[in-house]
Amino acid sequence: MKVHPTQMFNLAEMPHTLNDYLSHLSPACRMTLAIVMLASLLLNNPMAYAALSPVEMLSANKDNKKAEASPSPEEIREELKRRLDEIQAYRDRLDGGNYDTKAPVGIKPEEVTERRRLIESLIFFYQEGLNSLNAVDIEREKLKTIETQIQKWTGFATPPPYSMLMLYGLEEEAEALRGKQAVLESSLASWQTDSTNLQSEVSRANASLRSATETVDRANSPDDAAKAIWLKDFAEWRVRNAERKVWFNEIQARLVNAKLAATKAEFVLLEKKIKQAASQALLSDADLDKVRDGLRLSTKALEMEQQKSVSENTRWNKERDAIVREIETAKADAEKAEAPAIDSLRMEILDARLRAANAWVSATSQQTETLGTLVVFNSHIEEFWSYQYTLLTTTDPKIRQNTFNQLVRDYERLQQWGSFTQDTLRLAVSEEYNQQTKLDGIGKESPLRHYETQVLEAYRLKRQSAERIRLIADRTEHMLARWLNDYKSKLKERPVSDKFKEQLQDSVNFMQQLYKFELFTVDDEVDFEGKKVSITRGVTIGKFFSAFAVFIIGFWFAKWLARRFQRMLVFRFGIDEVQSNVLRRWVLIALSLILLVVVLTFARIPLTAFAFLGGALAIGVGFGTQTMLKNLISGVMILLEHKIKVGDVVEVDNIVGTITEIDIRSSTVHGFDGVETMIPNSTFLESKVTNWTYTNPNIRRSVRIGVAYGTSPREVIQLLLDCAERHGQILDDPEPFVWLEDFGDNALVFGLYFWLKMGPKVSSSQVMSDLRCMIVDALSKAGISIPFPQRDIHFDRDSLLQVSVVAENTHNPVSGIKPKPKG
């Protein structure tokens, strides 16, 4: 069931009249009256219609099925006004009659206070509900007007081309409408979410009302009945309040929908205007001059405001200094023996004044700084407009792309600065909030309140300064973002050739930035008019790669010179090719070191740039490279002393072979077994080395052989000499010779001695093997044998060996056991 809203405030009047009656009647009369009123409540049920919507407020009672005309909006407003007046009058009666003190016995003070809050809440809902209904009508009329403008609008009154400033203004309006639409949609979603919670609150309030009604039925005494009726009335106020919340939520949702519809329609109209203006918009010189004039006027106003801020800061500095002197005087007076103790209240006031002065000094300083920043920022905004003018008017892809890149960099820096201004604003808001909290805790009659209020005003000025600079940063950031997006969107419509040129220019710009990127800086000294001047040089990637490229070219040329030098050594001076190859490498190393110094000087990279190798790093590198440096120096010493050279036959660390290479770190020895061994250069200086070809490449070798006894020694000697003469690698000078060296146990021992000229292609072991084969063949043809080892055994017949047979021993001396007799 539903009840007409006109019945709602008849019930609101009942508690006041009933309480007056009950206070004058006897207990029996009060009991009777309570029963009658309870019956009336049960029959009429005045709360059943409390959930009527505003449109149904003047409709007929559906239970009585009386057809009435739907109320007009004006009638609904008049009815709401009348009911608002009634509840306000009821509240005034409560206040005027001290009704709160006449609550029945047993009613808690917080329940009385809560009922009063419910009445005030109902007044708020009706007042704001009336305002919202009026706002809904206004928004609907606005929507009709905008829809009419959309239908009638066919273009601008002025002919094209249109001013770009006008287009930017329209775009700013459109962006503001987008933000407004987003806020309205968020609010609508919030109201719709609250609707479910409010319906739950209505259900809980109705449940409480039913419980309170049952309590009235169970009342046994007039006092209990009065208390139960009061609580029931209290529950009815809760129901009304909850239902009015639902009604108010519906009105607010309706208002948001109306505003959202008007905003969307207004956005449609703006889109039509933007579309037509963008098709033929032009940023002319007059527009640019207009922007510059506006910025100059703004700058002049900011400078005047800054001067006032500086004056205000000076005044507060003087005020602070005066307060500080006053505090020092008070403390000095207190230190005198005849002076009374410092008044604590006076000191608190002085401290509060000092805090206020410090706060204003800080606030005015920040305001002055903010105004100066805005003055500088205006010049940057003028640059931004110049960039935009270039983007829109120039036809050179290179200039356009460079300008676009500069605008992108400025936009990125502006975003970083915007984050800083946001943090500054957040800090200012926090300071103001803390000071407001502190001020709320100070009594109104306290003498400190005035100075704490001044501190709050100073913090408010700081917050306003931060908001001001944050606003201009945010607006400029949005402006640049819109320009960049417009440029990117128009870029898609340009020819492919323009896109390619712009991309190519981007690549060139990137390479130029990379070329100029500093890796590190070094301090250097130069002579300027006979004086040493310290300057700082930057080592860039461009310098590094330039020096690297020059070094590669110079190194190639140095290799060519080294090869020419080697050929000159071989063909003109007759130096061995292997030896010349070693010299070529050392010359190449020397030229490379000279080239490195020249390249660094040419690239203007001072040698001090490598000073980072000093200190601990140099020590570590020194320990790690000491072996390499030792071998390097040893190689230089070997080449300078010339005691060991390429082609020498040496014996070192039980390795015998020919030196084929002498490099920076090690030398290569080619052994007679064909194995190449790399020996560190330091080994030739630190170990015992035998150089078989140091002063004379001739070496003597020998072959020993034994022949059987009985052979003619002269014949054997001649055979051995003939074999030596037939071998082609045995030298004739000195001549080979043969000695009868020994009378061996088994043979006559002869030794063939001969000389060889050592070289890379001569192996003494091979020569000796060849000789042995030739000697075996020659001795075999001459019938001379080479005996095997022989041993002669002789018996001494003068002392014969006696042999006797001894009988078996029948006693075991070890065990002491006698054998058993057989049988």
Side-chain angles (χ1 to χ4, degrees), residues 602-616:
F602 172 75
R604 301 182 66 83
I605 300 177
L607 295 178
T608 53
F610 304 98
F612 64 88
L613 293 177

Side-chain angles (χ1 to χ4, degrees), residues 131-169:
N131 295 334
S132 298
L133 288 174
N134 294 332
V136 168
D137 292 340
I138 293 173
E139 293 296 330
R140 288 175 177 173
E141 292 297 327
K142 181 180 178 181
L143 176 61
K144 293 178 181 179
T145 302
I146 295 174
E147 289 176 346
T148 303
Q149 291 177 355
I150 293 174
Q151 294 176 357
K152 293 183 178 181
W153 193 84
T154 56
F156 295 103
T158 58
Y162 305 109
S163 172
M164 189 65 72
L165 298 180
M166 181 189 70
L167 175 61
Y168 291 157

Side-chain angles (χ1 to χ4, degrees), residues 622-759:
F623 277 114
T625 59
Q626 61 178 349
T627 303
M628 184 182 70
L629 294 175
K630 180 174 66 173
N631 291 323
L632 175 63
I633 296 174
S634 298
V636 175
M637 294 300 296
I638 290 173
L639 291 176
L640 293 178
E641 291 181 350
H642 211 65
K643 292 183 178 180
I644 297 175
K645 56 185 179 298
V646 176
D648 286 351
V649 178
V650 298
E651 180 180 355
V652 56
D653 284 347
N654 298 323
I655 299 174
V656 179
T658 304
I659 297 179
T660 57
E661 289 183 359
I662 300 178
D663 291 330
I664 298 174
R665 188 185 65 85
S666 62
S667 299
T668 303
V669 176
H670 187 277
F672 296 117
D673 54 359
V675 178
E676 291 183 336
T677 304
M678 287 178 289
I679 301 175
N681 291 330
S682 60
T683 305
F684 292 95
L685 300 180
E686 297 173 352
S687 303
K688 294 180 180 180
V689 180
T690 301
N691 190 346
W692 294 94
T693 58
Y694 176 50
T695 58
N696 188 358
N698 300 336
I699 62 172
R700 192 183 72 174
R701 287 287 185 265
S702 63
V703 175
R704 299 182 69 197
I705 187 169
V707 298
Y709 279 98
T711 307
S712 173
R714 301 295 179 182
E715 183 179 2
V716 173
I717 292 173
Q718 187 60 43
L719 288 174
L720 294 179
L721 291 175
D722 292 340
C723 290
E725 290 176 359
R726 288 199 306 269
H727 199 286
Q729 292 182 336
I730 294 177
L731 297 178
D732 296 334
D733 185 20
E735 294 181 354
F737 58 90
V738 179
W739 286 345
L740 176 58
E741 294 182 344
D742 195 8
F743 295 99
D745 295 337
N746 306 310
L748 297 173
V749 179
F750 293 87
L752 172 60
Y753 294 89
F754 55 91
W755 294 85
L756 297 174
K757 185 175 183 179
M758 297 300 298

